């Protein structure tokens, strides 16, 4: 679900800043395991990835990352309550069918959750829609007919969701071109990164 | 010039025998005073003795894991597609050991061996063995070969149970355990199939209470039926449907009890071939080895507690169409390992072949094992 390119390293760095050294991390939709590798190197974390795709599972094995093959849509029943410090869902929330359930599962299994998603409210995306097209950009690289993204949202939408679902946001960083966006983030930021816990 | 080596094959191999004169006390309480284990090795044990891999056999196989015999070139090892130069378990890097377990019928001491106390074959007097007993005797073979710690212990099905038991019994002697098509214990349905197989053998008039050797008889009819029952559980419904469907041998219904459907002649053929080389007393015991395996039993059914001593890294692989030891059963093991915070990778291979998939060529499966062994290679610097 995620490949490691320069753009996404930006959210990796933010996540690495947040997680405590030596903590236990579960990375949902871990792709080839790059984030876990990065966090292991930077922060000495231990943990596992969860991934459905055969090729990605193989890549994790090659990268020395522990991976459990499974379907996020079926929940996290292999994992016990509160067994991780952080459960990460990086660039995958928008492709999950039952977003509400997965956030709930993240906060059952982890003390804290971390999500990153492409901000649909980014001005370039709005411009695409104004011009009569679905947006295609570095963070939303798919055409409408082939996109796995079924639950796109804006920063405002996500924060409304958290308020309504008893999720307390602990930290937020909004990114564009690898740098933090402080001013009008829902308009000027292309990628959102949140750390949250149960309220 | 014919070197006898085909690409990717370890080539001609020769079984060897290790004799043990120190008694082994078995889980059932009985002891075997002295015994032999027949084994084969492939590749070279490195100077640091860090590159040894133990490949544990399942129900109907033995120590002949890879390569072939000079005088019997068609007798290819049961995991030859997995083990050899350039194969997923690369014998250019790793030293692989295959052993016929105690109670077997391929040369290791078992029911058809001579009981030194009576001068006659053991027959039914050969004790009932367990996975724990096998692992204990394999550990003695490892001592004999000068292997302190295995880079990996691996197996499929019953072989995987041994790999798991190794990790629990000898945590310091196993760096990695590969559990393929495994289960933490047999289900009632699994035991039921085993019991049908045992009854087929025991009720064969040629069984003679297990002392058939003295009667110069063999319960081949029982063994054939036992194998037929077992074989059904190794294949998936879809695999049987695509291989045989309702195909008729003679193109039309004959209204007889001769084999008419292709699946009938296939099962009879499998049963016949098996009964020619396998010993019924060994078969009985191996089905019991399977039935009794249950590491959680002595921990009040708590598998996580049972696996707590294990320190190895684990690769757990299941096959989606395996209804004998389903993916859910492998996930139970994974959950227990996660609870214990062990290094574990779990892969679920979408293969059509059922339980037997662990023996077959499947690119995704073999690539995964190869990648995992690359990691092991890094760990042990080979």
């Amino acid at each position: 679900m995620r490949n490691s390119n320069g753009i996404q390293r930006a959210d990796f760095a933010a996540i690495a800043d947040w997680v405590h050294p030596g903590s236990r991390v579960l990375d949902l939709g871990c792709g080839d395991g790059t984030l876990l590798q990065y966090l292991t190197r930077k922060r000495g974390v231990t943990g596992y990835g969860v991934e459905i795709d055969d090729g990605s599972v193989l890549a994790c094995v090659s990268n020395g990352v522990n991976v459990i093959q499974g379907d996020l849509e079926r929940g996290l029943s292999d994992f016990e309550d509160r067994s991780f410090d952080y459960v990460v869902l990086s660039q995958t929330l928008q492709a999950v069918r039952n977003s509400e359930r997965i956030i709930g599962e993240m906060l059952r299994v982890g003390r804290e959750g971390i999500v990153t998603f492409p901000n649909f409210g980014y001005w370039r995306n709005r411009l695409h829609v104004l011009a009569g097209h679905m947006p295609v950009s570095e963070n939303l690289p798919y055409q409408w007919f082939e996109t796995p993204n079924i639950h796109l949202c804006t920063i405002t939408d996500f924060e409304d969701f958290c308020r309504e679902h008893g999720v307390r946001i602990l930290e937020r960083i909004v990114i564009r071109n690898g740098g933090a966006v402080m001013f009008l983030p829902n308009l000027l930021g292309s990628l959102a990164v949140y750390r949250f816990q149960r309220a | 010039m014919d070197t006898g080596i085909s690409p990717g094959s370890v080539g001609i191999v020769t079984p060897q025998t290790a004799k043990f004169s120190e008694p082994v006390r078995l889980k059932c309480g009985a002891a075997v005073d002295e015994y032999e284990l027949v084994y084969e090795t492939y590749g070279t044990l490195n100077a640091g003795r860090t590159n040894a891999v133990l490949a544990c056999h399942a129900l109907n196989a033995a120590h002949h894991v890879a390569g072939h015999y000079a005088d019997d070139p068609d007798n290819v090892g049961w995991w030859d597609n997995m083990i050899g130069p350039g194969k997923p378990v690369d014998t250019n890097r790793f030293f692989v050991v295959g052993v016929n377990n105690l109670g077997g019928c391929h040369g290791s001491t078992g029911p058809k061996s001579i009981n030194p106390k009576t001068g006659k074959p053991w027959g039914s007097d050969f004790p009932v063995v367990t996975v724990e007993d096998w692992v204990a005797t394999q550990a003695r073979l490892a001592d004999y070969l000068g292997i302190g710690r295995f880079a990996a212990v691996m197996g499929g099905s019953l072989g995987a149970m041994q790999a798991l038991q190794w990790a629990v019994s000898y945590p310091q002697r196993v760096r990695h355990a590969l559990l393929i098509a495994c289960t933490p214990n047999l289900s009632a349905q699994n035991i039921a199939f085993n019991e049908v197989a045992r009854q087929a053998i025991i009720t064969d008039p040629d069984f003679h209470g297990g002392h058939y050797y003295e009667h110069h008889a063999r319960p081949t009819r029982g063994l054939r039926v036992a194998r037929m029952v077992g074989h059904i559980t190794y294949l998936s419904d879809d695999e049987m449907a695509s291989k045989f469907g309702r195909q008729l041998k003679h193109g039309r219904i004959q209204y007889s009890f001769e084999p008419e459907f292709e699946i009938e002649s296939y099962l009879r053929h499998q049963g016949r071939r098996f009964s020619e080389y396998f010993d019924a007393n060994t078969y009985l015991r191996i089905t019991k080895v399977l039935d009794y395996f249950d590491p959680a039993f002595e921990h009040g059914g708590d598998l996580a507690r049972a696996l707590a001593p294990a320190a190895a890294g684990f690769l757990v692989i299941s096959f989606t169409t395996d209804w004998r030891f389903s993916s859910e059963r492998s996930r139970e093991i994974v959950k227990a390992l996660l609870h214990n915070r062990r290094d574990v990778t779990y892969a679920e291979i979408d293969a059509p072949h059922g339980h037997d998939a662990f023996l077959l060529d499947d690119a995704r499966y073999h690539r995964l094992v190869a990648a995992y062994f690359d990691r092991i290679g890094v760990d042990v610097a080979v």
Side-chain angles (χ1 to χ4, degrees):
Chain A
M1 284 185 172
R2 160 158 38 89
N3 53 17
S4 354
N5 56 45
I7 303 297
Q8 284 147 358
R9 299 274 163 145
D11 68 329
F12 287 9
I15 295 169
D17 276 349
W18 288 343
V19 302
H20 290 291
S23 55
R24 286 174 51 77
V25 177
L26 183 65
D27 183 13
L28 306 179
C30 67
D32 60 8
T34 310
L35 174 61
L36 276 172
Q37 259 189 322
Y38 180 78
L39 294 177
T40 304
R41 204 171 55 237
K42 289 264 174 195
R43 283 282 181 257
V45 307
T46 56
Y48 309 86
V50 177
E51 180 54 59
I52 192 168
D53 176 65
D54 289 337
S56 297
V57 169
L58 178 64
C60 283
V61 172
S62 296
N63 289 332
V65 170
N66 290 322
V67 62
I68 308 298
Q69 189 163 25
D71 183 359
L72 296 181
E73 304 286 1
R74 283 169 26 189
L76 301 176
S77 58
D78 291 338
F79 301 96
E80 295 169 355
D81 294 0
R82 304 232 136 201
S83 50
F84 290 88
D85 297 309
Y86 306 96
V87 180
V88 180
L89 187 67
S90 167
Q91 304 255 28
T92 302
L93 181 65
Q94 73 280 0
V96 173
R97 202 171 299 273
N98 194 339
S99 323
E100 208 175 325
R101 175 167 157 197
I102 197 72
I103 299 275
E105 279 288 83
M106 287 173 75
L107 289 177
R108 176 183 66 79
V109 169
R111 290 193 304 107
E112 292 182 7
I114 293 173
V115 299
T116 75
F117 59 86
N119 174 29
F120 203 75
Y122 178 45
W123 68 270
R124 281 181 183 275
N125 297 337
R126 299 188 195 199
L127 211 59
H128 275 274
V129 174
L130 274 179
H133 291 287
M134 285 299 285
V136 177
S137 65
E138 70 266 23
N139 282 314
L140 292 170
Y142 303 98
Q143 294 288 343
W144 66 271
F145 50 84
E146 51 161 22
T147 183
N149 299 330
I150 52 175
H151 283 157
L152 289 162
C153 67
T154 69
I155 283 173
T156 312
D157 289 333
F158 182 74
E159 293 183 5
D160 288 348
F161 170 91
C162 290
R163 225 179 348 268
E164 286 157 18
H165 289 82
V167 174
R168 184 153 61 121
I169 293 167
L170 300 169
E171 240 171 321
R172 178 188 83 182
I173 180 166
V174 182
I175 297 169
R176 195 193 54 190
N177 294 336
V181 177
M182 312 310 273
F183 179 65
L184 293 178
N186 197 31
L187 189 63
L188 302 180
S190 60
L191 188 68
V193 190
Y194 284 89
R195 185 164 69 86
F196 54 88
Q197 63 179 196
R198 208 171 277 294
Chain B
M1 190 185 82
D2 181 13
T3 57
I5 299 171
S6 54
S9 167
V10 298
I12 293 168
V13 296
T14 313
Q16 299 171 77
T17 303
K19 289 180 203 282
F20 300 89
S21 50
E22 197 185 318
V24 60
R25 178 153 299 276
L26 304 173
K27 203 178 175 197
C28 69
V32 178
D33 290 341
E34 50 189 52
Y35 57 97
E36 297 181 352
L37 295 177
V38 175
Y39 66 96
E40 288 177 10
T41 68
Y42 323 104
T44 311
L45 186 61
N46 62 7
R49 297 167 186 264
T50 60
N51 67 336
V53 174
L54 178 65
C56 304
H57 70 74
L59 209 164
N60 60 323
H63 53 283
H64 185 36
V65 183
H68 58 268
Y69 296 135
D71 59 353
D72 189 3
D74 294 334
N75 188 352
V76 176
W78 58 270
W79 226 354
D80 193 72
N81 59 16
M82 181 67 84
I83 293 160
K87 289 186 175 166
V89 185
D90 188 347
T91 50
N92 291 328
R93 299 170 77 185
F94 293 99
F95 173 70
V96 183
V97 181
V99 54
N100 184 208
N101 284 318
L102 187 69
C105 57
H106 288 81
S108 292
T109 300
K112 71 175 186 181
S113 311
I114 300 296
N115 179 351
K117 285 187 184 136
T118 63
K120 290 195 287 190
W122 284 87
S124 306
D125 299 331
F126 196 86
V128 171
V129 286
T130 62
V131 169
E132 291 95 315
D133 299 330
W134 280 355
V135 166
T137 47
Q138 288 164 359
R140 289 195 185 177
L141 178 67
D143 296 340
Y144 171 90
L145 295 172
I147 299 163
R149 189 180 189 195
F150 281 105
V153 179
M154 65 189 302
S157 188
L158 174 56
M161 293 175 177
Q162 293 159 63
L164 181 57
Q165 188 63 49
W166 258 98
V168 172
S169 296
Y170 301 101
Q172 300 315 315
R173 301 191 70 174
V174 189
R175 273 177 186 273
H176 292 273
L178 286 82
L179 317 180
I180 303 159
C182 193
T183 181
N185 63 21
L186 262 59
S187 66
Q189 189 192 47
N190 294 147
I191 295 171
F193 278 115
N194 280 349
E195 176 58 6
V196 173
R198 284 190 291 266
Q199 285 303 312
I201 292 168
I202 289 168
T203 58
D204 185 323
D206 284 332
F207 184 63
H208 298 288
H211 292 290
Y212 45 86
Y213 317 97
E214 299 158 37
H215 294 81
H216 304 289
R218 294 178 68 238
T220 48
R221 281 166 293 182
L223 202 48
R224 283 203 296 261
V225 175
R227 178 61 175 169
M228 287 167 78
V229 171
H231 209 90
I232 295 168
T233 69
Y234 305 148
L235 304 178
S236 69
D237 192 14
D238 283 351
E239 177 78 351
M240 264 200 201
S242 73
K243 236 177 168 169
F244 307 104
R246 292 183 53 85
Q247 269 172 51
L248 293 164
K249 264 175 83 79
H250 306 294
R252 62 184 180 87
I253 298 279
Q254 309 249 331
Y255 302 99
S256 83
F257 294 97
E258 289 307 304
E260 288 196 79
F261 292 95
E262 286 290 356
I263 182 63
E264 294 175 300
S265 35
Y266 173 78
L267 282 180
R268 287 198 194 195
H269 170 75
Q270 290 292 332
R272 199 179 315 113
R273 227 181 44 177
F274 186 71
S275 72
E276 282 162 9
Y277 72 89
F278 214 87
D279 179 62
N281 277 320
T282 289
Y283 197 83
L284 287 178
R285 274 156 190 74
I286 297 189
T287 60
K288 280 290 180 185
V289 171
L290 281 158
D291 289 2
Y292 292 141
F293 181 71
D294 187 6
F297 182 72
E298 282 155 29
H299 299 271
D302 186 341
L303 186 63
R305 234 169 68 202
L307 303 190
F314 286 86
L315 176 63
V316 181
I317 298 177
S318 74
F319 301 96
T320 51
T321 53
D322 182 352
W323 58 276
R324 182 183 168 91
F325 298 165
S326 68
S327 294
E328 285 69 32
R329 303 308 320 267
S330 280
R331 295 191 94 99
E332 290 176 39
I333 298 171
V334 171
K335 265 182 105 155
L337 294 170
L338 287 171
H339 176 90
N340 291 321
R341 305 187 167 191
R342 292 295 173 266
D343 280 326
V344 51
T345 281
Y346 171 65
E348 209 167 282
I349 307 282
D350 186 11
H353 314 102
H355 188 60
D356 255 0
F358 83 88
L359 291 168
L360 304 175
D361 272 318
D362 180 292
R364 280 160 304 175
Y365 162 44
H366 279 187
R367 273 200 294 266
L368 208 60
V369 174
Y372 197 78
F373 266 90
D374 275 342
R375 257 169 86 174
I376 299 174
V378 172
D379 279 2
V380 299
V382 293

